Amino acid sequence: MDGNARFTSVESEQSGRKWSIVLRLIRSVVEEPEFTEVIQNVTVPAGRSVRLACSVKNLGSYKVAWMHFEQSAILTVHNHVITRNPRVSVTHDKHRTWFLHISDVREEDRGRYMCQINTVTAKTQFGYLHVVVPPSIDDSLSSSDVIVREGANVTLTCRANGSPKPTIKWKRDDNSKISISKGYTVSEWEGEVLEMARISRLDMGAYLCIASNGVPPTVSKRVKVSVDFPPMLWIPHQLVGAPLYYNVTLECFTEAHPTSLNYWTRDDGHMIHESPKYHMENTVGLPAYKTHMRLLIRHIVSEDYGTYKCVAKNPRGESDGTIRLYTSSPPTTTPDPRALTQPPPSKPPRRDTPSTDKGTKYQSNLNEIDKGKQKPDEGGVKTHLNWVGGASQVTDEATDNRYQTWILISIFVYALL
C-alpha cells in the first residue's frame, strides 16, 4: 500500500513537471517578441539631426539595444545610453517603438545601425544612415596662383572633399576657351588636374575650379595664371613728316608682362622728360599687357627733326623701336567749293534793259574782282597753322577775302537781272 502510494506520488510529480514545461513552451511561443516594421534607410545632410525607429511587439521583459555595426559599438540598451557620445540619445513609445536620436550628424556617423532584441537567439534588423556632405575644396592639396614663362607647360590641380565624392570642372573666369594644346581648345575641362601645353600670353587670366556633388552649395576656387614674356614693340609709322612750327604726335604699341617701364629717347640716347616741349602718355589696353605710347612734340623747330626711340623694359628683357621725324611742306588750302559751284538765283530778263549792257557790266565787275584778288598775294598772307596727330588745319585771310568777293559778285549779278 505504501509502495503504491509512493509510486503514484512520483508519477503525479513527473506529470506536473511535463505540463509545466509544456505550458512554459506554449507561453514562450505566444509571447516571443518580434519586429513589426523594417528600419527605414535615412539620408541626412551633415550638421542636421536624425531619428531611426525600431518597432517591436510582445517585448515583455526583453530589452532592445542599438548598435553601430561598422564601428562594433553598443550605443544604447533599453533606456540607457552606453556610448560616451553626447550626441546620441534613446526614447520609446510605450515600449513599442524605440527611437535612436543622433544630433549634429557627422560624416563618420554614416553606416549600418542594428536594432537587437535579447531573446535566447538574438533577433536583429538593420537600417542604413547615409550622410551627405556639401563639397569643400582642400586648399592644401590644390594649386594657388602661378607665374610661368611663355611657352612652358602648366598643370593646375584641384582637390575637393564631400559625400558623394564631388566632380571637378575647370572654366575660365572670362568664359573664353581653355587651350589644352595647339589646335585643341575647350569651353570647360572635367577632372581634378588641368594640363595646358606651351602656354601663351593669350592663356593668361583667372581659372575657376568648380566642385559639386548635388548637395548645395557648389563651391569654387580662383587660380590666377600669369604668363611672363619680354617686351615687344609695334610702330605704325616709322617715318613721320611735319612742317616747321607745327605740333606732331609719335606712337608706339607695346606688349609685355610683367608691365614694362616705357620711355622715349632722342638719337643721342638722352631720355625725354615731360616739359612744355614734350608731353608723354601711356594708355593701358585690353588685355592689360598692352600699352599705347604717345609722344607729343609741340611747335617743331629744326632741332626737333631726327630720330626718336620708344623703349620698353621689364625683368624678362627689353625692346626699342625708332621713328624718324622729317620736315614736310605745309598743307595747301582751296576755296570753299560751295562758293564756286552755286549759281545765283535765276530771274527772267528785264525788257527795258538791253542784254549787251548786262554783259558789259558783268565783265567789268569780273575785272575788278581779278584786281582785288591779286592784292593779298602781292602783300603776303598771314596764315595760322595747327598740327595734331598728323592732321593739319589752315586759316588763310586771303581765302576769306576771296569768299567775300564771290559773294559780292552773286549779289551784284542778281541785282542786274
Side-chain angles (χ1 to χ4, degrees):
M1 187 70 180
D2 292 339
N4 291 335
R6 189 179 300 112
F7 178 76
T8 301
S9 176
V10 170
E11 188 176 3
S12 298
E13 186 177 349
Q14 290 176 348
S15 177
R17 287 177 181 175
K18 288 178 182 180
W19 277 109
S20 176
I21 293 171
V22 170
L23 290 174
R24 191 179 301 167
L25 289 172
I26 293 173
R27 189 180 297 113
S28 65
V29 171
V30 172
E31 296 180 356
E32 185 76 13
E34 59 183 27
F35 298 110
T36 59
E37 295 178 12
V38 297
I39 301 175
Q40 298 294 322
N41 297 331
V42 179
T43 299
V44 62
R48 301 284 184 85
S49 297
V50 68
R51 184 180 73 173
L52 299 176
C54 180
S55 299
V56 298
K57 67 178 181 178
N58 302 326
L59 184 61
S61 59
Y62 295 101
K63 292 179 172 56
V64 172
W66 280 101
M67 285 165 276
H68 193 299
F69 187 77
E70 278 76 14
Q71 297 179 2
S72 300
I74 300 175
L75 304 177
T76 66
V77 174
H78 213 55
N79 294 316
H80 306 288
V81 177
I82 306 302
T83 181
R84 294 183 179 180
N85 188 342
R87 298 181 295 109
V88 175
S89 61
V90 63
T91 60
H92 61 84
D93 177 17
K94 297 181 179 180
H95 294 82
R96 289 193 299 269
T97 303
W98 294 79
F99 300 103
L100 177 69
H101 302 268
I102 306 173
S103 61
D104 187 21
V105 173
R106 300 175 185 174
E107 194 171 0
E108 60 265 24
D109 295 329
R110 73 157 55 90
R112 287 182 295 173
Y113 284 79
M114 183 172 69
C115 176
Q116 186 178 80
I117 304 173
N118 65 335
T119 52
V120 175
T121 301
K123 294 185 176 183
T124 60
Q125 68 171 350
F126 295 90
Y128 193 87
L129 176 62
H130 184 62
V131 181
V132 293
V133 181
S136 61
I137 295 175
D138 191 338
D139 287 330
S140 64
L141 299 177
S142 302
S143 297
S144 54
D145 294 349
V146 296
I147 301 175
V148 296
R149 284 205 173 194
E150 192 168 38
N153 297 334
V154 177
T155 300
L156 302 180
T157 304
C158 184
R159 310 287 185 191
N161 301 316
S163 180
K165 183 175 176 59
T167 58
I168 303 294
K169 288 184 179 179
W170 291 91
K171 294 183 68 176
R172 293 190 67 170
D173 195 19
D174 59 0
N175 289 322
S176 56
K177 291 195 172 184
I178 300 173
S179 178
I180 303 300
S181 60
K182 185 177 180 180
Y184 178 35
T185 60
V186 295
S187 298
E188 62 180 36
W189 182 263
E190 186 169 336
E192 293 183 340
V193 178
L194 172 63
E195 294 181 341
M196 295 178 286
R198 298 186 60 80
I199 197 167
S200 77
R201 67 195 69 180
L202 300 177
D203 303 314
M204 182 160 31
Y207 290 74
L208 295 177
C209 154
I210 305 170
S212 61
N213 65 349
V215 183
T218 297
V219 294
S220 64
K221 177 181 173 68
R222 192 171 184 267
V223 181
K224 185 178 180 181
V225 177
S226 299
V227 181
D228 285 0
F229 56 93
M232 297 177 62
L233 281 173
W234 174 63
I235 302 173
H237 305 290
Q238 290 185 304
L239 293 175
V240 178
L244 281 168
Y245 313 124
Y246 280 65
N247 297 340
V248 68
T249 299
L250 309 182
E251 294 180 299
C252 283
F253 293 87
T254 71
E255 293 186 10
H257 195 273
T259 302
S260 57
L261 172 64
N262 304 318
Y263 59 93
W264 295 85
T265 68
R266 288 300 307 266
D267 45 3
D268 57 3
H270 283 84
M271 185 183 296
I272 296 174
H273 299 281
E274 187 75 21
S275 67
K277 182 72 175 178
Y278 300 109
H279 174 65
M280 289 162 285
E281 287 184 359
N282 290 328
T283 305
V284 178
L286 287 175
Y289 57 75
K290 294 185 176 182
T291 302
H292 185 187
M293 299 175 60
R294 294 186 185 89
L295 173 64
L296 170 64
I297 307 172
R298 301 183 180 96
H299 193 72
I300 297 172
V301 295
S302 57
E303 292 81 6
D304 295 326
Y305 293 112
T307 302
Y308 291 80
K309 277 188 178 182
C310 51
V311 184
K313 291 183 177 181
N314 76 356
R316 298 301 184 192
E318 68 176 274
S319 181
D320 60 59
T322 59
I323 300 175
R324 190 169 72 84
L325 178 63
Y326 65 91
T327 182
S328 65
S329 300
T332 60
T333 62
T334 57
D336 189 344
R338 292 174 298 177
L340 297 175
T341 58
Q342 286 184 354
S346 60
K347 192 173 182 181
R350 295 171 57 183
R351 294 180 181 179
D352 58 345
T353 304
S355 60
T356 54
D357 293 342
K358 180 183 71 172
T360 305
K361 293 179 180 179
Y362 185 78
Q363 185 64 39
S364 64
N365 280 293
L366 288 178
N367 293 334
E368 290 178 6
I369 291 168
D370 288 338
K371 293 178 183 178
K373 289 171 62 177
Q374 294 173 2
K375 291 179 182 179
D377 295 337
E378 295 173 359
V381 177
K382 292 184 180 179
T383 305
H384 305 283
L385 306 173
N386 184 33
W387 180 276
V388 180
S392 64
Q393 296 177 347
V394 178
T395 303
D396 192 333
E397 291 181 355
T399 303
D400 292 339
N401 292 334
R402 292 190 188 100
Y403 295 161
Q404 295 173 6
T405 303
W406 280 105
I407 293 171
L408 290 174
I409 291 173
S410 300
I411 296 172
F412 187 79
V413 172
Y414 182 83
L416 291 176
L417 296 175

Tab-separated table of all heavy atoms in Angstrom, residues 146-150 201 204-205 224-232 254-261 287-291 313-317:
chain	number	residue	atom	x	y	z
A	146	VAL	N	49.842	80.983	-60.080
A	146	VAL	CA	51.111	80.553	-60.671
A	146	VAL	C	51.606	81.609	-61.657
A	146	VAL	O	50.821	82.340	-62.267
A	146	VAL	CB	50.975	79.188	-61.392
A	146	VAL	CG1	50.632	78.099	-60.403
A	146	VAL	CG2	49.926	79.256	-62.492
A	147	ILE	N	52.938	81.677	-61.786
A	147	ILE	CA	53.599	82.552	-62.761
A	147	ILE	C	54.534	81.678	-63.586
A	147	ILE	O	55.390	80.977	-63.025
A	147	ILE	CB	54.384	83.683	-62.076
A	147	ILE	CG1	53.458	84.535	-61.199
A	147	ILE	CG2	55.090	84.549	-63.097
A	147	ILE	CD1	54.183	85.598	-60.387
A	148	VAL	N	54.364	81.689	-64.899
A	148	VAL	CA	55.183	80.853	-65.779
A	148	VAL	C	55.669	81.693	-66.952
A	148	VAL	O	55.119	82.752	-67.249
A	148	VAL	CB	54.395	79.633	-66.299
A	148	VAL	CG1	54.007	78.707	-65.166
A	148	VAL	CG2	53.163	80.078	-67.074
A	149	ARG	N	56.690	81.193	-67.612
A	149	ARG	CA	57.184	81.847	-68.824
A	149	ARG	C	56.380	81.383	-70.027
A	149	ARG	O	55.913	80.248	-70.074
A	149	ARG	CB	58.660	81.541	-69.029
A	149	ARG	CG	59.584	82.326	-68.110
A	149	ARG	CD	60.949	82.464	-68.726
A	149	ARG	NE	61.814	83.338	-67.957
A	149	ARG	CZ	62.946	83.828	-68.412
A	149	ARG	NH1	63.351	83.528	-69.631
A	149	ARG	NH2	63.690	84.620	-67.659
A	150	GLU	N	56.263	82.258	-70.985
A	150	GLU	CA	55.536	81.912	-72.207
A	150	GLU	C	56.225	80.735	-72.893
A	150	GLU	O	57.449	80.698	-73.025
A	150	GLU	CB	55.479	83.118	-73.139
A	150	GLU	CG	54.517	82.955	-74.288
A	150	GLU	CD	54.261	84.263	-75.008
A	150	GLU	OE1	55.224	85.054	-75.156
A	150	GLU	OE2	53.114	84.500	-75.419
A	201	ARG	N	50.598	84.071	-73.997
A	201	ARG	CA	50.022	85.237	-73.306
A	201	ARG	C	48.503	85.273	-73.429
A	201	ARG	O	47.822	85.851	-72.585
A	201	ARG	CB	50.648	86.516	-73.848
A	201	ARG	CG	50.301	86.827	-75.292
A	201	ARG	CD	51.213	87.880	-75.877
A	201	ARG	NE	52.570	87.363	-76.041
A	201	ARG	CZ	53.581	88.080	-76.528
A	201	ARG	NH1	53.376	89.333	-76.887
A	201	ARG	NH2	54.779	87.552	-76.642
A	204	MET	N	46.689	83.794	-70.439
A	204	MET	CA	46.828	84.447	-69.151
A	204	MET	C	45.460	84.869	-68.624
A	204	MET	O	44.594	85.297	-69.387
A	204	MET	CB	47.748	85.661	-69.293
A	204	MET	CG	48.014	86.393	-67.991
A	204	MET	SD	49.500	87.452	-68.014
A	204	MET	CE	49.611	87.979	-69.711
A	205	GLY	N	45.254	84.713	-67.311
A	205	GLY	CA	43.988	85.108	-66.698
A	205	GLY	C	43.631	84.213	-65.529
A	205	GLY	O	44.461	83.434	-65.034
A	224	LYS	N	44.856	82.229	-60.455
A	224	LYS	CA	45.324	83.192	-61.449
A	224	LYS	C	46.606	82.675	-62.097
A	224	LYS	O	47.557	82.315	-61.406
A	224	LYS	CB	45.574	84.547	-60.792
A	224	LYS	CG	45.945	85.635	-61.779
A	224	LYS	CD	46.135	86.974	-61.066
A	224	LYS	CE	46.517	88.068	-62.056
A	224	LYS	NZ	46.734	89.368	-61.381
A	225	VAL	N	46.607	82.653	-63.427
A	225	VAL	CA	47.774	82.215	-64.195
A	225	VAL	C	48.381	83.438	-64.877
A	225	VAL	O	47.721	84.085	-65.700
A	225	VAL	CB	47.400	81.150	-65.241
A	225	VAL	CG1	48.615	80.777	-66.080
A	225	VAL	CG2	46.821	79.914	-64.554
A	226	SER	N	49.621	83.769	-64.517
A	226	SER	CA	50.334	84.892	-65.127
A	226	SER	C	51.407	84.342	-66.054
A	226	SER	O	52.150	83.427	-65.684
A	226	SER	CB	50.968	85.776	-64.053
A	226	SER	OG	49.978	86.319	-63.197
A	227	VAL	N	51.476	84.898	-67.251
A	227	VAL	CA	52.444	84.446	-68.257
A	227	VAL	C	53.426	85.582	-68.508
A	227	VAL	O	53.037	86.659	-68.973
A	227	VAL	CB	51.744	84.042	-69.566
A	227	VAL	CG1	52.762	83.565	-70.589
A	227	VAL	CG2	50.712	82.955	-69.295
A	228	ASP	N	54.704	85.352	-68.190
A	228	ASP	CA	55.737	86.370	-68.365
A	228	ASP	C	56.392	86.257	-69.739
A	228	ASP	O	56.643	85.146	-70.229
A	228	ASP	CB	56.807	86.239	-67.282
A	228	ASP	CG	56.321	86.765	-65.936
A	228	ASP	OD1	55.169	87.221	-65.863
A	228	ASP	OD2	57.098	86.707	-64.964
A	229	PHE	N	56.669	87.406	-70.353
A	229	PHE	CA	57.377	87.431	-71.629
A	229	PHE	C	58.042	88.794	-71.783
A	229	PHE	O	57.591	89.792	-71.202
A	229	PHE	CB	56.433	87.156	-72.807
A	229	PHE	CG	55.251	88.077	-72.892
A	229	PHE	CD1	55.297	89.229	-73.657
A	229	PHE	CD2	54.088	87.797	-72.192
A	229	PHE	CE1	54.218	90.082	-73.735
A	229	PHE	CE2	52.995	88.646	-72.269
A	229	PHE	CZ	53.063	89.792	-73.045
A	230	PRO	N	59.146	88.865	-72.552
A	230	PRO	CA	59.847	90.139	-72.732
A	230	PRO	C	59.028	91.099	-73.582
A	230	PRO	O	58.123	90.693	-74.316
A	230	PRO	CB	61.150	89.731	-73.435
A	230	PRO	CG	60.824	88.444	-74.113
A	230	PRO	CD	59.823	87.752	-73.234
A	231	PRO	N	59.341	92.398	-73.515
A	231	PRO	CA	58.559	93.386	-74.273
A	231	PRO	C	58.665	93.183	-75.782
A	231	PRO	O	59.692	92.761	-76.312
A	231	PRO	CB	59.181	94.723	-73.852
A	231	PRO	CG	59.883	94.450	-72.575
A	231	PRO	CD	60.352	93.037	-72.655
A	232	MET	N	57.576	93.505	-76.458
A	232	MET	CA	57.520	93.536	-77.919
A	232	MET	C	56.942	94.880	-78.332
A	232	MET	O	56.059	95.416	-77.654
A	232	MET	CB	56.643	92.395	-78.448
A	232	MET	CG	57.156	91.011	-78.145
A	232	MET	SD	56.019	89.725	-78.738
A	232	MET	CE	56.036	90.047	-80.494
A	254	THR	N	53.156	98.591	-77.279
A	254	THR	CA	53.989	97.590	-76.610
A	254	THR	C	53.129	96.481	-76.024
A	254	THR	O	51.959	96.689	-75.685
A	254	THR	CB	54.826	98.212	-75.471
A	254	THR	OG1	53.952	98.561	-74.386
A	254	THR	CG2	55.556	99.458	-75.953
A	255	GLU	N	53.739	95.299	-75.901
A	255	GLU	CA	53.165	94.177	-75.157
A	255	GLU	C	54.257	93.626	-74.259
A	255	GLU	O	55.368	93.344	-74.734
A	255	GLU	CB	52.663	93.084	-76.104
A	255	GLU	CG	51.474	93.485	-76.951
A	255	GLU	CD	50.904	92.337	-77.768
A	255	GLU	OE1	51.336	91.183	-77.519
A	255	GLU	OE2	50.049	92.578	-78.632
A	256	ALA	N	53.948	93.467	-72.967
A	256	ALA	CA	54.951	92.976	-72.026
A	256	ALA	C	54.270	92.514	-70.743
A	256	ALA	O	53.231	93.055	-70.348
A	256	ALA	CB	55.976	94.058	-71.702
A	257	HIS	N	54.864	91.495	-70.115
A	257	HIS	CA	54.445	91.061	-68.771
A	257	HIS	C	55.634	90.435	-68.048
A	257	HIS	O	56.277	89.556	-68.605
A	257	HIS	CB	53.308	90.037	-68.832
A	257	HIS	CG	52.632	89.852	-67.502
A	257	HIS	ND1	53.079	88.957	-66.563
A	257	HIS	CD2	51.557	90.468	-66.956
A	257	HIS	CE1	52.303	89.013	-65.507
A	257	HIS	NE2	51.366	89.931	-65.719
A	258	PRO	N	55.968	90.930	-66.841
A	258	PRO	CA	55.286	91.981	-66.076
A	258	PRO	C	55.265	93.308	-66.851
A	258	PRO	O	55.974	93.477	-67.827
A	258	PRO	CB	56.115	92.094	-64.807
A	258	PRO	CG	56.937	90.854	-64.741
A	258	PRO	CD	57.165	90.421	-66.142
A	259	THR	N	54.466	94.233	-66.353
A	259	THR	CA	54.328	95.524	-67.012
A	259	THR	C	55.694	96.164	-67.206
A	259	THR	O	56.526	96.178	-66.297
A	259	THR	CB	53.431	96.453	-66.173
A	259	THR	OG1	52.160	95.821	-66.000
A	259	THR	CG2	53.238	97.786	-66.861
A	260	SER	N	55.908	96.689	-68.397
A	260	SER	CA	57.220	97.238	-68.730
A	260	SER	C	57.336	98.702	-68.310
A	260	SER	O	56.341	99.407	-68.132
A	260	SER	CB	57.473	97.108	-70.228
A	260	SER	OG	56.444	97.747	-70.965
A	261	LEU	N	58.599	99.138	-68.162
A	261	LEU	CA	58.910	100.547	-67.978
A	261	LEU	C	59.053	101.145	-69.373
A	261	LEU	O	59.905	100.712	-70.163
A	261	LEU	CB	60.219	100.698	-67.192
A	261	LEU	CG	60.793	102.110	-67.075
A	261	LEU	CD1	59.858	103.008	-66.287
A	261	LEU	CD2	62.175	102.081	-66.458
A	287	PRO	N	44.057	93.060	-73.702
A	287	PRO	CA	44.354	92.757	-72.295
A	287	PRO	C	45.331	93.771	-71.682
A	287	PRO	O	45.924	94.569	-72.399
A	287	PRO	CB	44.969	91.355	-72.364
A	287	PRO	CG	44.609	90.819	-73.707
A	287	PRO	CD	44.509	91.990	-74.616
A	288	ALA	N	45.518	93.669	-70.378
A	288	ALA	CA	46.282	94.674	-69.641
A	288	ALA	C	47.765	94.661	-69.967
A	288	ALA	O	48.476	95.593	-69.566
A	288	ALA	CB	46.072	94.472	-68.134
A	289	TYR	N	48.259	93.628	-70.677
A	289	TYR	CA	49.687	93.627	-71.004
A	289	TYR	C	49.983	94.505	-72.219
A	289	TYR	O	51.141	94.656	-72.610
A	289	TYR	CB	50.198	92.200	-71.216
A	289	TYR	CG	49.497	91.390	-72.286
A	289	TYR	CD1	49.719	91.619	-73.634
A	289	TYR	CD2	48.612	90.372	-71.933
A	289	TYR	CE1	49.075	90.870	-74.611
A	289	TYR	CE2	47.970	89.622	-72.906
A	289	TYR	CZ	48.206	89.872	-74.235
A	289	TYR	OH	47.573	89.129	-75.203
A	290	LYS	N	48.964	95.111	-72.826
A	290	LYS	CA	49.163	96.003	-73.966
A	290	LYS	C	49.186	97.460	-73.502
A	290	LYS	O	48.400	97.854	-72.632
A	290	LYS	CB	48.055	95.816	-74.996
A	290	LYS	CG	48.048	94.454	-75.672
A	290	LYS	CD	46.988	94.392	-76.760
A	290	LYS	CE	47.044	93.073	-77.507
A	290	LYS	NZ	46.055	93.007	-78.612
A	291	THR	N	50.086	98.270	-74.107
A	291	THR	CA	50.191	99.687	-73.772
A	291	THR	C	50.370	100.502	-75.051
A	291	THR	O	51.114	100.102	-75.956
A	291	THR	CB	51.376	99.939	-72.822
A	291	THR	OG1	51.220	99.153	-71.641
A	291	THR	CG2	51.444	101.408	-72.426
A	313	LYS	N	61.094	98.138	-71.115
A	313	LYS	CA	61.939	97.214	-70.353
A	313	LYS	C	61.113	96.543	-69.264
A	313	LYS	O	60.270	97.189	-68.628
A	313	LYS	CB	63.094	97.965	-69.684
A	313	LYS	CG	64.153	98.506	-70.625
A	313	LYS	CD	65.283	99.156	-69.822
A	313	LYS	CE	66.399	99.656	-70.738
A	313	LYS	NZ	67.517	100.261	-69.980
A	314	ASN	N	61.356	95.243	-69.053
A	314	ASN	CA	60.817	94.529	-67.883
A	314	ASN	C	61.840	93.476	-67.457
A	314	ASN	O	62.876	93.317	-68.115
A	314	ASN	CB	59.428	93.953	-68.176
A	314	ASN	CG	59.447	92.710	-69.038
A	314	ASN	OD1	60.498	92.278	-69.512
A	314	ASN	ND2	58.281	92.120	-69.264
A	315	PRO	N	61.578	92.745	-66.352
A	315	PRO	CA	62.589	91.780	-65.881
A	315	PRO	C	62.919	90.680	-66.888
A	315	PRO	O	63.945	90.011	-66.750
A	315	PRO	CB	61.935	91.197	-64.622
A	315	PRO	CG	60.998	92.244	-64.145
A	315	PRO	CD	60.482	92.892	-65.383
A	316	ARG	N	62.085	90.468	-67.892
A	316	ARG	CA	62.330	89.410	-68.876
A	316	ARG	C	63.137	89.891	-70.086
A	316	ARG	O	63.558	89.061	-70.893
A	316	ARG	CB	61.002	88.822	-69.358
A	316	ARG	CG	60.169	88.166	-68.265
A	316	ARG	CD	60.919	87.037	-67.605
A	316	ARG	NE	60.099	86.343	-66.622
A	316	ARG	CZ	60.567	85.479	-65.748
A	316	ARG	NH1	61.864	85.208	-65.717
A	316	ARG	NH2	59.757	84.886	-64.886
A	317	GLY	N	63.334	91.206	-70.219
A	317	GLY	CA	64.096	91.702	-71.345
A	317	GLY	C	63.708	93.124	-71.688
A	317	GLY	O	63.017	93.813	-70.926
